[in-house]
């Protein structure tokens, strides 16, 4: 995995460096679509996908403010961040040639952002997921989709909910170079929140062994990413404990036959 995807300055550097290498006569829309791997997508979808980058300069400033000598860091990187904001504002002129964007910043901007990324990496731990970990999430999400589609008798609301989480994870993997690992952490938090609010979700899944196992494997793959973010030294037992927290409180156990007879 590209180490620069681990923090906001690195992701912004990587994007602007890519854009500088694009044909100046191509449109901004074409260049940004190429970066996203969305060459056939409508302009509105490109803007929606690129939107998280627009807030990166502010996120970088917040992280720099937390560092010692933040005034010196602001002096070092302030101009680069201002130019980056100008370059990102080209989302308003997507059909103009890339030279419009190139005129907003220069080689010094991307060099400064590269240095800024290294500065943040030293003082703010930034998780960099391994390609194998991301591939595992993609595989588990795809397996979950297949299990959902193959499950009979599953309530439509449950089917729609589970498909939504699986497709969201796949989408966030596709846009990993935009949002980084935080998007996958958000996916897990939303999934855990859904389970905690809706115990019936688990009771509807549990009877189907294949579907249940697919849900568990999917959440475990996301949990590995989460443990990377919150504790680089986490061991697999911690992940399993966290997994137990996810599912144990919501398991619905049917009363035994003897218990029924006593009622």
């Amino acid at each position: 995995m590209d180490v620069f995807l681990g923090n906001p300055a690195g992701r912004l550097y990587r994007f602007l460096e890519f854009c500088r290498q694009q044909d100046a006569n191509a449109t901004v829309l074409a260049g940004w679509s190429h970066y996203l791997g969305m060459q056939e997508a409508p302009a509105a979808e490109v803007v929606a996908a690129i939107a998280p980058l627009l807030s990166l300069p502010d996120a970088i400033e917040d992280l720099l403010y937390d560092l010692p000598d933040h005034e010196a860091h602001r002096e070092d990187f302030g101009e680069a961040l201002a130019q980056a904001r100008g370059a990102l504002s080209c989302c308003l002129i997507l059909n103009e040639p890339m030279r419009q964007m190139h005129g907003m910043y220069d080689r010094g901007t991307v060099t400064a952002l590269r240095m800024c990324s290294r500065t943040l990496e030293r003082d703010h731990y930034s998780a960099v997921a391994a390609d194998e970990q991301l591939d595992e999430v993609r595989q588990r999400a795809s397996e979950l989709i297949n299990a959902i589609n193959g499950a009979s008798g599953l309530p439509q609301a449950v089917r729609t909910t589970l498909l939504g989480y699986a497709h969201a994870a796949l989408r966030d993997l596709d846009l990993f170079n935009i949002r980084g690992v935080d998007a996958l952490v958000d996916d897990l938090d939303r999934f855990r929140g859904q389970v905690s609010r809706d115990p019936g979700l688990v009771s509807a899944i549990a009877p189907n062994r294949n579907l249940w196992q697919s849900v568990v494997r999917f959440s475990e793959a996301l949990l590995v990413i989460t443990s990377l973010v919150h504790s680089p030294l986490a061991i697999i037992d911690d992940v399993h404990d966290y997994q137990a927290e996810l599912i144990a409180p919501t398991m619905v156990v049917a009363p035994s036959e003897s218990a029924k007879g006593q009622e």
Side-chain angles (χ1 to χ4, degrees), residues 3 6-7 116-128:
V3 296
N7 66 61
C116 184
S117 178
R118 297 300 191 192
T119 298
L120 293 178
E121 184 67 25
R122 287 194 299 269
D123 291 274
H124 289 283
Y125 171 74
S126 300
V128 181

mmCIF file of all heavy atoms in Angstrom, residues 3 6-7 116-128:
data_model
loop_
_atom_site.group_PDB
_atom_site.id
_atom_site.type_symbol
_atom_site.label_atom_id
_atom_site.label_comp_id
_atom_site.label_asym_id
_atom_site.label_seq_id
_atom_site.Cartn_x
_atom_site.Cartn_y
_atom_site.Cartn_z
ATOM 1 N N VAL A 3 2.356 4.411 1.077
ATOM 2 C CA VAL A 3 2.419 4.969 2.436
ATOM 3 C C VAL A 3 1.766 6.332 2.519
ATOM 4 O O VAL A 3 1.331 6.756 3.597
ATOM 5 C CB VAL A 3 3.882 5.070 2.924
ATOM 6 C CG1 VAL A 3 4.502 3.691 3.030
ATOM 7 C CG2 VAL A 3 4.722 5.955 2.008
ATOM 8 N N GLY A 6 -1.792 7.100 4.086
ATOM 9 C CA GLY A 6 -2.021 6.958 5.520
ATOM 10 C C GLY A 6 -2.423 8.222 6.239
ATOM 11 O O GLY A 6 -2.891 8.161 7.368
ATOM 12 N N ASN A 7 -2.231 9.400 5.628
ATOM 13 C CA ASN A 7 -2.653 10.630 6.308
ATOM 14 C C ASN A 7 -3.133 11.655 5.283
ATOM 15 O O ASN A 7 -2.877 11.517 4.082
ATOM 16 C CB ASN A 7 -1.527 11.192 7.190
ATOM 17 C CG ASN A 7 -0.335 11.662 6.381
ATOM 18 O OD1 ASN A 7 -0.437 12.561 5.555
ATOM 19 N ND2 ASN A 7 0.832 11.046 6.631
ATOM 20 N N CYS A 116 5.136 17.602 4.400
ATOM 21 C CA CYS A 116 4.110 17.713 5.436
ATOM 22 C C CYS A 116 3.613 16.330 5.831
ATOM 23 O O CYS A 116 3.400 16.039 7.017
ATOM 24 C CB CYS A 116 2.960 18.568 4.925
ATOM 25 S SG CYS A 116 1.657 18.878 6.142
ATOM 26 N N SER A 117 3.445 15.467 4.844
ATOM 27 C CA SER A 117 3.012 14.104 5.134
ATOM 28 C C SER A 117 4.028 13.395 6.022
ATOM 29 O O SER A 117 3.660 12.689 6.970
ATOM 30 C CB SER A 117 2.824 13.328 3.826
ATOM 31 O OG SER A 117 2.451 11.991 4.080
ATOM 32 N N ARG A 118 5.289 13.577 5.728
ATOM 33 C CA ARG A 118 6.332 12.959 6.549
ATOM 34 C C ARG A 118 6.315 13.532 7.966
ATOM 35 O O ARG A 118 6.524 12.817 8.948
ATOM 36 C CB ARG A 118 7.712 13.190 5.918
ATOM 37 C CG ARG A 118 7.902 12.566 4.550
ATOM 38 C CD ARG A 118 7.726 11.068 4.570
ATOM 39 N NE ARG A 118 8.149 10.453 3.317
ATOM 40 C CZ ARG A 118 7.905 9.206 2.983
ATOM 41 N NH1 ARG A 118 7.210 8.426 3.797
ATOM 42 N NH2 ARG A 118 8.322 8.720 1.821
ATOM 43 N N THR A 119 6.059 14.830 8.074
ATOM 44 C CA THR A 119 5.984 15.461 9.392
ATOM 45 C C THR A 119 4.847 14.872 10.208
ATOM 46 O O THR A 119 5.005 14.530 11.389
ATOM 47 C CB THR A 119 5.785 16.981 9.251
ATOM 48 O OG1 THR A 119 6.911 17.541 8.569
ATOM 49 C CG2 THR A 119 5.645 17.647 10.618
ATOM 50 N N LEU A 120 3.690 14.742 9.588
ATOM 51 C CA LEU A 120 2.537 14.173 10.289
ATOM 52 C C LEU A 120 2.774 12.713 10.635
ATOM 53 O O LEU A 120 2.334 12.231 11.683
ATOM 54 C CB LEU A 120 1.281 14.314 9.437
ATOM 55 C CG LEU A 120 0.780 15.746 9.201
ATOM 56 C CD1 LEU A 120 -0.442 15.725 8.297
ATOM 57 C CD2 LEU A 120 0.458 16.425 10.522
ATOM 58 N N GLU A 121 3.458 12.002 9.761
ATOM 59 C CA GLU A 121 3.720 10.586 9.996
ATOM 60 C C GLU A 121 4.578 10.397 11.242
ATOM 61 O O GLU A 121 4.399 9.445 12.003
ATOM 62 C CB GLU A 121 4.419 9.973 8.778
ATOM 63 C CG GLU A 121 4.658 8.480 8.872
ATOM 64 C CD GLU A 121 3.362 7.685 8.844
ATOM 65 O OE1 GLU A 121 2.361 8.177 8.296
ATOM 66 O OE2 GLU A 121 3.360 6.572 9.384
ATOM 67 N N ARG A 122 5.501 11.324 11.480
ATOM 68 C CA ARG A 122 6.368 11.220 12.662
ATOM 69 C C ARG A 122 5.608 11.499 13.950
ATOM 70 O O ARG A 122 5.872 10.884 14.981
ATOM 71 C CB ARG A 122 7.542 12.205 12.539
ATOM 72 C CG ARG A 122 8.601 11.808 11.536
ATOM 73 C CD ARG A 122 9.855 12.633 11.727
ATOM 74 N NE ARG A 122 9.614 14.065 11.547
ATOM 75 C CZ ARG A 122 9.732 14.696 10.391
ATOM 76 N NH1 ARG A 122 10.079 14.025 9.300
ATOM 77 N NH2 ARG A 122 9.496 15.993 10.289
ATOM 78 N N ASP A 123 4.666 12.443 13.895
ATOM 79 C CA ASP A 123 4.028 12.903 15.135
ATOM 80 C C ASP A 123 2.607 12.397 15.331
ATOM 81 O O ASP A 123 2.093 12.415 16.434
ATOM 82 C CB ASP A 123 4.033 14.440 15.169
ATOM 83 C CG ASP A 123 5.426 15.005 15.338
ATOM 84 O OD1 ASP A 123 5.869 15.137 16.489
ATOM 85 O OD2 ASP A 123 6.076 15.287 14.317
ATOM 86 N N HIS A 124 1.951 11.994 14.277
ATOM 87 C CA HIS A 124 0.610 11.413 14.367
ATOM 88 C C HIS A 124 0.682 10.054 13.696
ATOM 89 O O HIS A 124 0.857 9.986 12.478
ATOM 90 C CB HIS A 124 -0.431 12.269 13.635
ATOM 91 C CG HIS A 124 -0.745 13.558 14.321
ATOM 92 N ND1 HIS A 124 -1.553 13.635 15.429
ATOM 93 C CD2 HIS A 124 -0.357 14.829 14.052
ATOM 94 C CE1 HIS A 124 -1.660 14.899 15.807
ATOM 95 N NE2 HIS A 124 -0.950 15.642 14.988
ATOM 96 N N TYR A 125 0.509 8.994 14.485
ATOM 97 C CA TYR A 125 0.542 7.679 13.848
ATOM 98 C C TYR A 125 -0.556 7.586 12.796
ATOM 99 O O TYR A 125 -1.710 7.904 13.062
ATOM 100 C CB TYR A 125 0.349 6.550 14.877
ATOM 101 C CG TYR A 125 0.164 5.215 14.202
ATOM 102 C CD1 TYR A 125 1.253 4.572 13.627
ATOM 103 C CD2 TYR A 125 -1.096 4.648 14.076
ATOM 104 C CE1 TYR A 125 1.090 3.369 12.962
ATOM 105 C CE2 TYR A 125 -1.267 3.445 13.416
ATOM 106 C CZ TYR A 125 -0.173 2.812 12.862
ATOM 107 O OH TYR A 125 -0.341 1.631 12.196
ATOM 108 N N SER A 126 -0.195 7.183 11.607
ATOM 109 C CA SER A 126 -1.159 7.046 10.526
ATOM 110 C C SER A 126 -1.180 5.600 10.063
ATOM 111 O O SER A 126 -0.149 5.043 9.688
ATOM 112 C CB SER A 126 -0.770 7.956 9.342
ATOM 113 O OG SER A 126 -0.737 9.304 9.741
ATOM 114 N N ALA A 127 -2.353 4.998 10.111
ATOM 115 C CA ALA A 127 -2.467 3.596 9.730
ATOM 116 C C ALA A 127 -2.319 3.441 8.226
ATOM 117 O O ALA A 127 -2.883 4.202 7.453
ATOM 118 C CB ALA A 127 -3.823 3.056 10.168
ATOM 119 N N VAL A 128 -1.528 2.469 7.837
ATOM 120 C CA VAL A 128 -1.385 2.124 6.427
ATOM 121 C C VAL A 128 -1.724 0.647 6.298
ATOM 122 O O VAL A 128 -0.942 -0.219 6.678
ATOM 123 C CB VAL A 128 0.040 2.397 5.909
ATOM 124 C CG1 VAL A 128 0.139 2.045 4.431
ATOM 125 C CG2 VAL A 128 0.420 3.855 6.136
#
